[in-house]
Amino acid sequence: MIRELFYKHVAQTSDAPLGLEITGAQGVYLIDTTGKQYIDLISGISVSNVGHCNPRVVKAICDQALQYSHILVYGENIYKPQVHLAKKLAEICGEGLDVVYFVNSGSEAVEGAIKLAKRYTGRPNVISFNNAYHGSTHLCLSLMHNNSMNRAYRPLVPGIQHFSFNQYSVLDSINDHVAAVIVEPVQGEAGAVPADNNFLLMLRQKCDETGTLLIFDEVQTGIGRTGTFFAFQSYQVKPDILVSAKALGGGMPLGAFISSVQIMNCLAVNPPLGHITTFGGHPVSCSAALAAIQVIEEDKLLERVFVCEAQFRKALVHPEILQISGKGLLLAVHLSDESKVKKVIKSCLEQGLVTDWFLFNDKALRIAPPLCISDEEIQKSCEIILQSLSAL
Ligand SMILES: Cc1ncc(COP(=O)(O)O)c(C=O)c1O
């Protein structure tokens, strides 16, 4: 019954939704209407880093909802959870990334970051990379190189050039007409492809020479997923603007773009209100975010990420696996073709394991579980994947 209503009244994004009927979620498990439990190996997607319904996050949400939720559009009033979260993020990111603009989602955070860069530099152009995914709004689709996804929405936002990721050919095109270079430190939807440290160093150097702002989109890599709080902390490169969302809100909707006071201040004057959002930095989302960060610290989840990565890499050895790419718990298991990936995903689902392919790489399986996944849950997940591969 509810399935029919879903197809009838809820707008569909594809003709093949996963379609699980979820009644509960705890830790790494999703539970459907039949009581069947699934290990969530994708964290829906890269969101549930501290696990589903983490009790400390749930408590923070309830406590805050009982005090106040929405009062007024972002930026007008002083809310304790928002201020404390901004301070915490500033401490984590350090000097130069110590002023936070809160929004609702990854796409909006990318929009805000690009607007900020154009406004601060007064320049028209932006550089992004092939196989990057920055979101689904009109600007974000324009940042996307993949024509099959943005063709229908032309004309796109002008002034955007795309270059190959990890290739130095981009450097000659970073000049004083370019407001920003936006890059993911690990390209998520390309199939978990990490940037080379030297590539990011060269981008940093060329941006410094030309006065171009370097933006890191850490919507997917942030909040511990790659083993440091933000991925930039594992590289020797710091961006001018950092974009976060997804796991930031501990399961609640929240995004942010983070920069220096000098850069960020330009949104507030001549004219003011450079970016406006009603719900950005919602007090309940910020309370959840603070609790989630506390969980990551108290439970030492960053250290666990590397242990878990090693366990997945050690266990997932099979003649069908060509390679495992990625960093921390943003991993991709590469197979030889798309149909094998689809079969493995289906077989895993039947055996109680949710995995997925990547938007721009359908030959790879996604491994991005909650960071609190246990040794036994990793072992069980790998057994199911290996069995599914052997049955191909
Ligand atoms: C790297 C990256 N940037 C931006 C986005 C867009 O985030 P949202 O879906 O919250 O708009 C995503 C979403 O998958 C992402 O992976």
Side-chain angles (χ1 to χ4, degrees):
M1 179 62 176
I2 190 157
R3 183 169 294 274
E4 284 161 29
L5 293 173
F6 166 74
Y7 284 111
K8 191 169 175 199
H9 295 298
V10 179
Q12 300 292 304
T13 56
S14 80
D15 55 9
L18 188 59
L20 294 179
E21 268 182 62
I22 299 300
T23 54
Q26 285 289 332
V28 300
Y29 289 99
L30 305 176
I31 301 132
D32 75 9
T33 40
T34 67
K36 182 172 171 180
Q37 296 202 350
Y38 301 81
I39 295 178
D40 178 3
L41 220 51
I42 59 176
S43 307
I45 281 176
S46 295
V47 169
S48 320
N49 288 14
V50 295
H52 295 280
C53 284
N54 185 293
R56 282 164 281 177
V57 176
V58 173
K59 181 173 184 315
I61 291 171
C62 295
D63 289 351
Q64 183 56 43
L66 285 169
Q67 285 179 46
Y68 58 88
S69 85
H70 178 77
I71 307 285
L72 189 59
V73 293
Y74 172 85
E76 294 298 330
N77 284 338
I78 301 168
Y79 305 125
K80 213 162 149 185
Q82 208 180 66
V83 175
H84 285 181
L85 179 59
K87 178 171 172 280
K88 184 72 194 171
L89 289 170
E91 281 165 12
I92 290 168
C93 295
E95 206 187 326
L97 292 175
D98 45 9
V99 180
V100 184
Y101 195 116
F102 290 113
V103 291
N104 300 281
S105 68
S107 301
E108 192 190 356
V110 168
E111 292 267 347
I114 299 283
K115 282 171 64 184
L116 177 61
K118 283 187 162 180
R119 183 87 182 260
Y120 181 72
T121 60
R123 300 175 182 180
N125 296 339
V126 176
I127 285 178
S128 73
F129 292 96
N130 300 351
N131 290 329
Y133 180 74
H134 295 296
S136 194
T137 59
H138 214 130
L139 170 61
C140 294
L141 279 177
S142 309
L143 293 169
M144 188 186 286
H145 180 246
N146 188 296
N147 286 341
S148 69
M149 287 198 77
N150 64 20
R151 187 178 295 124
Y153 306 102
R154 287 177 186 166
L156 299 168
V157 176
I160 297 172
Q161 278 180 287
H162 303 94
F163 290 87
S164 297
F165 186 64
N166 273 338
Q167 301 288 317
Y168 296 92
S169 50
V170 61
L171 296 175
D172 287 340
S173 299
I174 302 175
N175 55 40
D176 59 9
H177 296 290
V178 180
V181 174
I182 182 164
V183 64
E184 295 165 87
V186 180
Q187 279 199 327
E189 296 309 313
V193 182
D196 298 334
N197 195 56
N198 206 42
F199 174 67
L200 295 183
L201 272 172
M202 298 301 279
L203 289 181
R204 178 70 277 173
Q205 196 180 326
K206 198 65 204 273
C207 284
D208 287 342
E209 281 167 25
T210 56
T212 301
L213 299 188
L214 183 59
I215 303 174
F216 276 10
D217 178 344
E218 294 231 27
V219 168
Q220 201 151 169
T221 53
I223 325 300
R225 177 139 304 277
T226 62
T228 46
F229 201 89
F230 286 107
F232 83 83
Q233 293 161 317
S234 70
Y235 288 95
Q236 291 151 330
V237 174
K238 199 167 189 177
D240 299 296
I241 307 175
L242 179 71
V243 177
S244 180
K246 283 196 183 275
L248 174 64
M252 296 293 285
L254 185 65
F257 54 102
I258 306 173
S259 191
S260 65
V261 65
Q262 186 197 359
I263 295 174
M264 196 67 89
N265 268 356
C266 73
L267 289 182
V269 288
N270 295 327
L273 305 176
H275 189 74
I276 301 175
T277 166
T278 297
F279 286 122
H282 192 286
V284 177
S285 297
C286 288
S287 295
L290 270 167
I293 293 173
Q294 209 174 340
V295 170
I296 290 173
E297 289 177 345
E298 284 172 5
D299 295 1
K300 302 196 175 2
L301 290 183
L302 297 182
E303 292 152 41
R304 267 296 290 170
V305 169
F306 294 114
V307 176
C308 296
E309 176 185 4
Q311 288 178 3
F312 275 112
R313 285 184 183 273
K314 189 165 174 223
L316 289 175
V317 177
H318 191 279
E320 291 287 352
I321 297 178
L322 304 181
Q323 60 146 328
I324 298 178
S325 68
K327 206 171 162 74
L329 285 176
L330 180 54
L331 298 173
V333 177
H334 297 257
L335 308 183
S336 59
D337 69 64
E338 177 197 343
S339 69
K340 287 184 179 174
V341 168
K342 287 211 166 120
K343 278 185 201 153
V344 171
I345 290 171
K346 187 164 175 279
S347 156
C348 286
L349 198 62
E350 283 160 11
Q351 296 177 72
L353 183 73
V354 178
T355 175
D356 199 4
W357 59 86
F358 295 86
L359 210 50
F360 302 135
N361 190 340
D362 51 16
K363 293 184 186 172
L365 282 175
R366 187 188 301 264
I367 297 193
L371 312 184
C372 56
I373 190 167
S374 69
D375 296 348
E376 296 71 35
E377 287 154 355
I378 292 175
Q379 197 187 334
K380 187 165 177 219
S381 305
C382 293
E383 277 168 18
I384 294 175
I385 293 172
L386 294 172
Q387 271 171 27
S388 303
L389 288 167
S390 293
L392 280 174

PDB file of all heavy atoms in Angstrom, residues 59-89:
ATOM      1  N   LYS A  59      19.638  12.837  21.487  1.00  0.00           N
ATOM      2  CA  LYS A  59      19.377  13.628  22.702  1.00  0.00           C
ATOM      3  C   LYS A  59      19.563  15.123  22.408  1.00  0.00           C
ATOM      4  O   LYS A  59      18.738  15.959  22.800  1.00  0.00           O
ATOM      5  CB  LYS A  59      20.300  13.181  23.840  1.00  0.00           C
ATOM      6  CG  LYS A  59      20.039  13.948  25.126  1.00  0.00           C
ATOM      7  CD  LYS A  59      20.805  13.411  26.311  1.00  0.00           C
ATOM      8  CE  LYS A  59      20.457  14.130  27.609  1.00  0.00           C
ATOM      9  NZ  LYS A  59      20.376  15.566  27.568  1.00  0.00           N
ATOM     10  N   ALA A  60      20.629  15.449  21.706  1.00  0.00           N
ATOM     11  CA  ALA A  60      20.887  16.863  21.385  1.00  0.00           C
ATOM     12  C   ALA A  60      19.744  17.442  20.546  1.00  0.00           C
ATOM     13  O   ALA A  60      19.314  18.582  20.762  1.00  0.00           O
ATOM     14  CB  ALA A  60      22.219  16.983  20.642  1.00  0.00           C
ATOM     15  N   ILE A  61      19.240  16.639  19.612  1.00  0.00           N
ATOM     16  CA  ILE A  61      18.124  17.095  18.758  1.00  0.00           C
ATOM     17  C   ILE A  61      16.888  17.355  19.620  1.00  0.00           C
ATOM     18  O   ILE A  61      16.242  18.413  19.503  1.00  0.00           O
ATOM     19  CB  ILE A  61      17.819  16.038  17.657  1.00  0.00           C
ATOM     20  CG1 ILE A  61      18.969  15.971  16.639  1.00  0.00           C
ATOM     21  CG2 ILE A  61      16.492  16.334  16.964  1.00  0.00           C
ATOM     22  CD1 ILE A  61      18.879  14.817  15.652  1.00  0.00           C
ATOM     23  N   CYS A  62      16.576  16.390  20.483  1.00  0.00           N
ATOM     24  CA  CYS A  62      15.361  16.528  21.319  1.00  0.00           C
ATOM     25  C   CYS A  62      15.497  17.717  22.271  1.00  0.00           C
ATOM     26  O   CYS A  62      14.573  18.521  22.397  1.00  0.00           O
ATOM     27  CB  CYS A  62      15.113  15.248  22.114  1.00  0.00           C
ATOM     28  SG  CYS A  62      14.749  13.844  21.067  1.00  0.00           S
ATOM     29  N   ASP A  63      16.651  17.818  22.918  1.00  0.00           N
ATOM     30  CA  ASP A  63      16.850  18.921  23.875  1.00  0.00           C
ATOM     31  C   ASP A  63      16.680  20.268  23.181  1.00  0.00           C
ATOM     32  O   ASP A  63      16.026  21.179  23.693  1.00  0.00           O
ATOM     33  CB  ASP A  63      18.256  18.854  24.496  1.00  0.00           C
ATOM     34  CG  ASP A  63      18.395  17.678  25.467  1.00  0.00           C
ATOM     35  OD1 ASP A  63      17.366  17.044  25.780  1.00  0.00           O
ATOM     36  OD2 ASP A  63      19.533  17.397  25.888  1.00  0.00           O
ATOM     37  N   GLN A  64      17.281  20.399  22.000  1.00  0.00           N
ATOM     38  CA  GLN A  64      17.208  21.682  21.299  1.00  0.00           C
ATOM     39  C   GLN A  64      15.781  21.960  20.816  1.00  0.00           C
ATOM     40  O   GLN A  64      15.289  23.081  20.932  1.00  0.00           O
ATOM     41  CB  GLN A  64      18.197  21.706  20.125  1.00  0.00           C
ATOM     42  CG  GLN A  64      18.230  23.031  19.382  1.00  0.00           C
ATOM     43  CD  GLN A  64      18.531  24.214  20.288  1.00  0.00           C
ATOM     44  OE1 GLN A  64      19.410  24.147  21.143  1.00  0.00           O
ATOM     45  NE2 GLN A  64      17.777  25.304  20.133  1.00  0.00           N
ATOM     46  N   ALA A  65      15.116  20.915  20.289  1.00  0.00           N
ATOM     47  CA  ALA A  65      13.739  21.102  19.777  1.00  0.00           C
ATOM     48  C   ALA A  65      12.812  21.564  20.900  1.00  0.00           C
ATOM     49  O   ALA A  65      11.854  22.309  20.654  1.00  0.00           O
ATOM     50  CB  ALA A  65      13.236  19.811  19.146  1.00  0.00           C
ATOM     51  N   LEU A  66      13.111  21.131  22.137  1.00  0.00           N
ATOM     52  CA  LEU A  66      12.271  21.545  23.265  1.00  0.00           C
ATOM     53  C   LEU A  66      12.525  23.010  23.655  1.00  0.00           C
ATOM     54  O   LEU A  66      11.656  23.656  24.235  1.00  0.00           O
ATOM     55  CB  LEU A  66      12.527  20.637  24.478  1.00  0.00           C
ATOM     56  CG  LEU A  66      11.910  19.243  24.376  1.00  0.00           C
ATOM     57  CD1 LEU A  66      12.430  18.341  25.484  1.00  0.00           C
ATOM     58  CD2 LEU A  66      10.385  19.314  24.431  1.00  0.00           C
ATOM     59  N   GLN A  67      13.716  23.505  23.326  1.00  0.00           N
ATOM     60  CA  GLN A  67      14.020  24.914  23.681  1.00  0.00           C
ATOM     61  C   GLN A  67      13.518  25.877  22.611  1.00  0.00           C
ATOM     62  O   GLN A  67      12.708  26.745  22.852  1.00  0.00           O
ATOM     63  CB  GLN A  67      15.514  25.101  23.862  1.00  0.00           C
ATOM     64  CG  GLN A  67      16.035  24.531  25.171  1.00  0.00           C
ATOM     65  CD  GLN A  67      17.538  24.722  25.279  1.00  0.00           C
ATOM     66  OE1 GLN A  67      18.058  25.784  25.017  1.00  0.00           O
ATOM     67  NE2 GLN A  67      18.227  23.666  25.644  1.00  0.00           N
ATOM     68  N   TYR A  68      14.029  25.750  21.414  1.00  0.00           N
ATOM     69  CA  TYR A  68      13.539  26.520  20.261  1.00  0.00           C
ATOM     70  C   TYR A  68      14.057  25.862  19.004  1.00  0.00           C
ATOM     71  O   TYR A  68      15.107  25.223  19.014  1.00  0.00           O
ATOM     72  CB  TYR A  68      13.945  27.999  20.316  1.00  0.00           C
ATOM     73  CG  TYR A  68      15.435  28.279  20.400  1.00  0.00           C
ATOM     74  CD1 TYR A  68      16.211  28.408  19.254  1.00  0.00           C
ATOM     75  CD2 TYR A  68      16.072  28.424  21.633  1.00  0.00           C
ATOM     76  CE1 TYR A  68      17.569  28.679  19.327  1.00  0.00           C
ATOM     77  CE2 TYR A  68      17.427  28.684  21.722  1.00  0.00           C
ATOM     78  CZ  TYR A  68      18.177  28.809  20.560  1.00  0.00           C
ATOM     79  OH  TYR A  68      19.518  29.068  20.633  1.00  0.00           O
ATOM     80  N   SER A  69      13.302  26.008  17.915  1.00  0.00           N
ATOM     81  CA  SER A  69      13.856  25.563  16.635  1.00  0.00           C
ATOM     82  C   SER A  69      14.012  26.798  15.755  1.00  0.00           C
ATOM     83  O   SER A  69      14.796  27.679  16.091  1.00  0.00           O
ATOM     84  CB  SER A  69      13.041  24.424  16.035  1.00  0.00           C
ATOM     85  OG  SER A  69      11.968  24.830  15.315  1.00  0.00           O
ATOM     86  N   HIS A  70      13.250  26.948  14.676  1.00  0.00           N
ATOM     87  CA  HIS A  70      13.480  28.117  13.819  1.00  0.00           C
ATOM     88  C   HIS A  70      12.935  29.391  14.457  1.00  0.00           C
ATOM     89  O   HIS A  70      11.817  29.406  14.957  1.00  0.00           O
ATOM     90  CB  HIS A  70      12.827  27.908  12.451  1.00  0.00           C
ATOM     91  CG  HIS A  70      12.992  29.104  11.561  1.00  0.00           C
ATOM     92  ND1 HIS A  70      14.176  29.377  10.923  1.00  0.00           N
ATOM     93  CD2 HIS A  70      12.154  30.120  11.262  1.00  0.00           C
ATOM     94  CE1 HIS A  70      14.056  30.503  10.244  1.00  0.00           C
ATOM     95  NE2 HIS A  70      12.842  30.972  10.437  1.00  0.00           N
ATOM     96  N   ILE A  71      13.696  30.459  14.398  1.00  0.00           N
ATOM     97  CA  ILE A  71      13.224  31.759  14.887  1.00  0.00           C
ATOM     98  C   ILE A  71      13.209  32.787  13.756  1.00  0.00           C
ATOM     99  O   ILE A  71      12.183  33.382  13.461  1.00  0.00           O
ATOM    100  CB  ILE A  71      14.112  32.302  16.044  1.00  0.00           C
ATOM    101  CG1 ILE A  71      14.251  31.268  17.166  1.00  0.00           C
ATOM    102  CG2 ILE A  71      13.568  33.634  16.552  1.00  0.00           C
ATOM    103  CD1 ILE A  71      13.047  31.089  18.068  1.00  0.00           C
ATOM    104  N   LEU A  72      14.371  32.982  13.117  1.00  0.00           N
ATOM    105  CA  LEU A  72      14.465  34.019  12.075  1.00  0.00           C
ATOM    106  C   LEU A  72      15.527  33.604  11.063  1.00  0.00           C
ATOM    107  O   LEU A  72      16.376  32.778  11.366  1.00  0.00           O
ATOM    108  CB  LEU A  72      14.848  35.358  12.745  1.00  0.00           C
ATOM    109  CG  LEU A  72      14.806  36.628  11.898  1.00  0.00           C
ATOM    110  CD1 LEU A  72      13.402  36.878  11.325  1.00  0.00           C
ATOM    111  CD2 LEU A  72      15.216  37.844  12.734  1.00  0.00           C
ATOM    112  N   VAL A  73      15.480  34.203   9.872  1.00  0.00           N
ATOM    113  CA  VAL A  73      16.445  33.837   8.821  1.00  0.00           C
ATOM    114  C   VAL A  73      17.878  33.888   9.335  1.00  0.00           C
ATOM    115  O   VAL A  73      18.195  34.648  10.256  1.00  0.00           O
ATOM    116  CB  VAL A  73      16.330  34.765   7.576  1.00  0.00           C
ATOM    117  CG1 VAL A  73      15.016  34.560   6.872  1.00  0.00           C
ATOM    118  CG2 VAL A  73      16.559  36.218   7.942  1.00  0.00           C
ATOM    119  N   TYR A  74      18.734  33.101   8.668  1.00  0.00           N
ATOM    120  CA  TYR A  74      20.144  33.012   9.049  1.00  0.00           C
ATOM    121  C   TYR A  74      20.774  34.410   9.168  1.00  0.00           C
ATOM    122  O   TYR A  74      20.554  35.277   8.334  1.00  0.00           O
ATOM    123  CB  TYR A  74      20.918  32.205   7.997  1.00  0.00           C
ATOM    124  CG  TYR A  74      22.405  32.244   8.217  1.00  0.00           C
ATOM    125  CD1 TYR A  74      23.011  31.352   9.081  1.00  0.00           C
ATOM    126  CD2 TYR A  74      23.195  33.201   7.586  1.00  0.00           C
ATOM    127  CE1 TYR A  74      24.369  31.397   9.313  1.00  0.00           C
ATOM    128  CE2 TYR A  74      24.558  33.261   7.811  1.00  0.00           C
ATOM    129  CZ  TYR A  74      25.144  32.360   8.677  1.00  0.00           C
ATOM    130  OH  TYR A  74      26.490  32.411   8.909  1.00  0.00           O
ATOM    131  N   GLY A  75      21.566  34.589  10.213  1.00  0.00           N
ATOM    132  CA  GLY A  75      22.400  35.792  10.312  1.00  0.00           C
ATOM    133  C   GLY A  75      21.812  36.919  11.135  1.00  0.00           C
ATOM    134  O   GLY A  75      22.501  37.905  11.398  1.00  0.00           O
ATOM    135  N   GLU A  76      20.549  36.805  11.544  1.00  0.00           N
ATOM    136  CA  GLU A  76      19.927  37.929  12.252  1.00  0.00           C
ATOM    137  C   GLU A  76      20.062  37.813  13.770  1.00  0.00           C
ATOM    138  O   GLU A  76      20.303  38.807  14.442  1.00  0.00           O
ATOM    139  CB  GLU A  76      18.448  38.046  11.869  1.00  0.00           C
ATOM    140  CG  GLU A  76      18.223  38.421  10.403  1.00  0.00           C
ATOM    141  CD  GLU A  76      18.804  39.795  10.049  1.00  0.00           C
ATOM    142  OE1 GLU A  76      18.853  40.682  10.931  1.00  0.00           O
ATOM    143  OE2 GLU A  76      19.231  39.962   8.893  1.00  0.00           O
ATOM    144  N   ASN A  77      19.844  36.620  14.296  1.00  0.00           N
ATOM    145  CA  ASN A  77      19.869  36.460  15.749  1.00  0.00           C
ATOM    146  C   ASN A  77      21.079  35.658  16.203  1.00  0.00           C
ATOM    147  O   ASN A  77      21.744  35.008  15.394  1.00  0.00           O
ATOM    148  CB  ASN A  77      18.598  35.729  16.221  1.00  0.00           C
ATOM    149  CG  ASN A  77      17.388  36.649  16.201  1.00  0.00           C
ATOM    150  OD1 ASN A  77      17.525  37.869  16.238  1.00  0.00           O
ATOM    151  ND2 ASN A  77      16.206  36.058  16.146  1.00  0.00           N
ATOM    152  N   ILE A  78      21.323  35.700  17.497  1.00  0.00           N
ATOM    153  CA  ILE A  78      22.457  34.958  18.055  1.00  0.00           C
ATOM    154  C   ILE A  78      21.919  33.682  18.712  1.00  0.00           C
ATOM    155  O   ILE A  78      21.141  33.754  19.667  1.00  0.00           O
ATOM    156  CB  ILE A  78      23.207  35.818  19.095  1.00  0.00           C
ATOM    157  CG1 ILE A  78      23.715  37.108  18.424  1.00  0.00           C
ATOM    158  CG2 ILE A  78      24.359  35.042  19.726  1.00  0.00           C
ATOM    159  CD1 ILE A  78      24.207  38.163  19.391  1.00  0.00           C
ATOM    160  N   TYR A  79      22.292  32.527  18.144  1.00  0.00           N
ATOM    161  CA  TYR A  79      21.847  31.235  18.678  1.00  0.00           C
ATOM    162  C   TYR A  79      23.053  30.470  19.185  1.00  0.00           C
ATOM    163  O   TYR A  79      24.021  30.272  18.446  1.00  0.00           O
ATOM    164  CB  TYR A  79      21.184  30.395  17.586  1.00  0.00           C
ATOM    165  CG  TYR A  79      20.046  31.059  16.868  1.00  0.00           C
ATOM    166  CD1 TYR A  79      20.059  31.173  15.478  1.00  0.00           C
ATOM    167  CD2 TYR A  79      18.952  31.557  17.562  1.00  0.00           C
ATOM    168  CE1 TYR A  79      19.010  31.764  14.807  1.00  0.00           C
ATOM    169  CE2 TYR A  79      17.901  32.164  16.899  1.00  0.00           C
ATOM    170  CZ  TYR A  79      17.938  32.269  15.521  1.00  0.00           C
ATOM    171  OH  TYR A  79      16.909  32.865  14.870  1.00  0.00           O
ATOM    172  N   LYS A  80      22.940  30.007  20.424  1.00  0.00           N
ATOM    173  CA  LYS A  80      24.050  29.297  21.058  1.00  0.00           C
ATOM    174  C   LYS A  80      24.566  28.110  20.214  1.00  0.00           C
ATOM    175  O   LYS A  80      25.778  28.015  19.976  1.00  0.00           O
ATOM    176  CB  LYS A  80      23.596  28.807  22.437  1.00  0.00           C
ATOM    177  CG  LYS A  80      24.664  28.777  23.481  1.00  0.00           C
ATOM    178  CD  LYS A  80      23.980  28.715  24.841  1.00  0.00           C
ATOM    179  CE  LYS A  80      24.793  27.962  25.837  1.00  0.00           C
ATOM    180  NZ  LYS A  80      24.084  27.807  27.102  1.00  0.00           N
ATOM    181  N   PRO A  81      23.680  27.201  19.743  1.00  0.00           N
ATOM    182  CA  PRO A  81      24.221  26.039  19.016  1.00  0.00           C
ATOM    183  C   PRO A  81      24.995  26.447  17.761  1.00  0.00           C
ATOM    184  O   PRO A  81      26.022  25.846  17.432  1.00  0.00           O
ATOM    185  CB  PRO A  81      22.977  25.223  18.619  1.00  0.00           C
ATOM    186  CG  PRO A  81      21.817  25.844  19.288  1.00  0.00           C
ATOM    187  CD  PRO A  81      22.212  27.162  19.855  1.00  0.00           C
ATOM    188  N   GLN A  82      24.504  27.497  17.079  1.00  0.00           N
ATOM    189  CA  GLN A  82      25.166  27.951  15.847  1.00  0.00           C
ATOM    190  C   GLN A  82      26.537  28.548  16.160  1.00  0.00           C
ATOM    191  O   GLN A  82      27.536  28.240  15.491  1.00  0.00           O
ATOM    192  CB  GLN A  82      24.275  29.013  15.216  1.00  0.00           C
ATOM    193  CG  GLN A  82      24.382  29.118  13.728  1.00  0.00           C
ATOM    194  CD  GLN A  82      23.450  30.197  13.234  1.00  0.00           C
ATOM    195  OE1 GLN A  82      23.632  31.375  13.527  1.00  0.00           O
ATOM    196  NE2 GLN A  82      22.432  29.794  12.478  1.00  0.00           N
ATOM    197  N   VAL A  83      26.583  29.391  17.194  1.00  0.00           N
ATOM    198  CA  VAL A  83      27.843  30.051  17.556  1.00  0.00           C
ATOM    199  C   VAL A  83      28.863  29.008  18.035  1.00  0.00           C
ATOM    200  O   VAL A  83      30.027  29.017  17.623  1.00  0.00           O
ATOM    201  CB  VAL A  83      27.599  31.122  18.647  1.00  0.00           C
ATOM    202  CG1 VAL A  83      28.921  31.729  19.111  1.00  0.00           C
ATOM    203  CG2 VAL A  83      26.659  32.203  18.131  1.00  0.00           C
ATOM    204  N   HIS A  84      28.389  28.076  18.870  1.00  0.00           N
ATOM    205  CA  HIS A  84      29.317  27.061  19.384  1.00  0.00           C
ATOM    206  C   HIS A  84      29.834  26.159  18.264  1.00  0.00           C
ATOM    207  O   HIS A  84      30.997  25.765  18.255  1.00  0.00           O
ATOM    208  CB  HIS A  84      28.629  26.221  20.475  1.00  0.00           C
ATOM    209  CG  HIS A  84      28.513  26.964  21.770  1.00  0.00           C
ATOM    210  ND1 HIS A  84      27.954  26.442  22.905  1.00  0.00           N
ATOM    211  CD2 HIS A  84      28.897  28.218  22.115  1.00  0.00           C
ATOM    212  CE1 HIS A  84      27.999  27.336  23.887  1.00  0.00           C
ATOM    213  NE2 HIS A  84      28.558  28.418  23.423  1.00  0.00           N
ATOM    214  N   LEU A  85      28.962  25.851  17.322  1.00  0.00           N
ATOM    215  CA  LEU A  85      29.403  25.003  16.206  1.00  0.00           C
ATOM    216  C   LEU A  85      30.416  25.749  15.341  1.00  0.00           C
ATOM    217  O   LEU A  85      31.441  25.177  14.931  1.00  0.00           O
ATOM    218  CB  LEU A  85      28.195  24.549  15.362  1.00  0.00           C
ATOM    219  CG  LEU A  85      28.553  23.688  14.156  1.00  0.00           C
ATOM    220  CD1 LEU A  85      29.287  22.407  14.574  1.00  0.00           C
ATOM    221  CD2 LEU A  85      27.293  23.321  13.358  1.00  0.00           C
ATOM    222  N   ALA A  86      30.153  27.017  15.061  1.00  0.00           N
ATOM    223  CA  ALA A  86      31.100  27.804  14.251  1.00  0.00           C
ATOM    224  C   ALA A  86      32.460  27.857  14.943  1.00  0.00           C
ATOM    225  O   ALA A  86      33.508  27.691  14.304  1.00  0.00           O
ATOM    226  CB  ALA A  86      30.552  29.212  14.027  1.00  0.00           C
ATOM    227  N   LYS A  87      32.444  28.061  16.265  1.00  0.00           N
ATOM    228  CA  LYS A  87      33.701  28.121  17.025  1.00  0.00           C
ATOM    229  C   LYS A  87      34.437  26.782  16.942  1.00  0.00           C
ATOM    230  O   LYS A  87      35.644  26.723  16.733  1.00  0.00           O
ATOM    231  CB  LYS A  87      33.388  28.478  18.487  1.00  0.00           C
ATOM    232  CG  LYS A  87      34.589  28.529  19.396  1.00  0.00           C
ATOM    233  CD  LYS A  87      34.212  29.108  20.757  1.00  0.00           C
ATOM    234  CE  LYS A  87      35.350  28.991  21.752  1.00  0.00           C
ATOM    235  NZ  LYS A  87      35.471  27.661  22.366  1.00  0.00           N
ATOM    236  N   LYS A  88      33.679  25.701  17.087  1.00  0.00           N
ATOM    237  CA  LYS A  88      34.283  24.362  17.040  1.00  0.00           C
ATOM    238  C   LYS A  88      34.904  24.102  15.660  1.00  0.00           C
ATOM    239  O   LYS A  88      36.022  23.590  15.555  1.00  0.00           O
ATOM    240  CB  LYS A  88      33.195  23.316  17.356  1.00  0.00           C
ATOM    241  CG  LYS A  88      33.696  21.914  17.446  1.00  0.00           C
ATOM    242  CD  LYS A  88      34.500  21.700  18.713  1.00  0.00           C
ATOM    243  CE  LYS A  88      35.286  20.432  18.671  1.00  0.00           C
ATOM    244  NZ  LYS A  88      36.214  20.294  19.771  1.00  0.00           N
ATOM    245  N   LEU A  89      34.176  24.451  14.605  1.00  0.00           N
ATOM    246  CA  LEU A  89      34.707  24.235  13.250  1.00  0.00           C
ATOM    247  C   LEU A  89      35.957  25.088  13.026  1.00  0.00           C
ATOM    248  O   LEU A  89      36.928  24.643  12.405  1.00  0.00           O
ATOM    249  CB  LEU A  89      33.631  24.541  12.197  1.00  0.00           C
ATOM    250  CG  LEU A  89      32.477  23.529  12.129  1.00  0.00           C
ATOM    251  CD1 LEU A  89      31.344  24.041  11.243  1.00  0.00           C
ATOM    252  CD2 LEU A  89      32.964  22.173  11.609  1.00  0.00           C
TER     253      LEU A  89
END
